[in-house]
Amino acid sequence: MNNEQKLKQIISSVFKVDISSINNGTSPDSIESWDSLNHLNLVLALEEAFQVTFTEEQTVEILNYELIVETLKELGISI
């Protein structure tokens, strides 16, 4: 499983959505279950899976799929 697949699997698991529905437009606007609690669950799951630590600023900013990918790349994770 590559990192993109891993990322999509995490998003799918946290928000209980079909993995095939996850794309660059995936955000709280497109996923009903993307609320503040599940956002924190997503952050924790990403940190654990990719062995990274997000800053407080990054945690607040990663509000869609593209921003998550960009932030992971900034932390040295290739997607």
Side-chain angles (χ1 to χ4, degrees):
M1 178 182 299
N2 68 29
N3 284 337
E4 183 178 15
Q5 291 168 322
K6 187 192 292 189
L7 173 58
K8 288 183 177 184
Q9 182 62 52
I10 292 166
I11 293 170
S12 171
S13 295
V14 169
F15 298 122
K16 312 265 188 290
V17 295
D18 192 297
I19 198 165
S20 65
S21 70
I22 299 167
N23 57 47
N24 284 346
T26 298
S27 72
D29 294 333
S30 64
I31 297 181
E32 196 175 312
S33 60
W34 194 325
D35 57 18
S36 56
L37 178 61
N38 277 331
H39 182 75
L40 285 177
N41 289 336
L42 173 65
V43 169
L44 294 171
L46 292 171
E47 287 183 332
E48 185 177 324
F50 292 105
Q51 298 293 296
V52 296
T53 303
F54 295 113
T55 65
E56 192 173 323
E57 187 178 303
Q58 288 169 327
T59 298
V60 174
E61 288 176 348
I62 56 171
L63 283 176
N64 65 45
Y65 182 84
E66 280 187 281
L67 290 173
I68 294 169
V69 169
E70 282 179 35
T71 304
L72 285 171
K73 285 181 180 176
E74 288 171 12
L75 294 171
I77 306 298
S78 60
I79 302 286

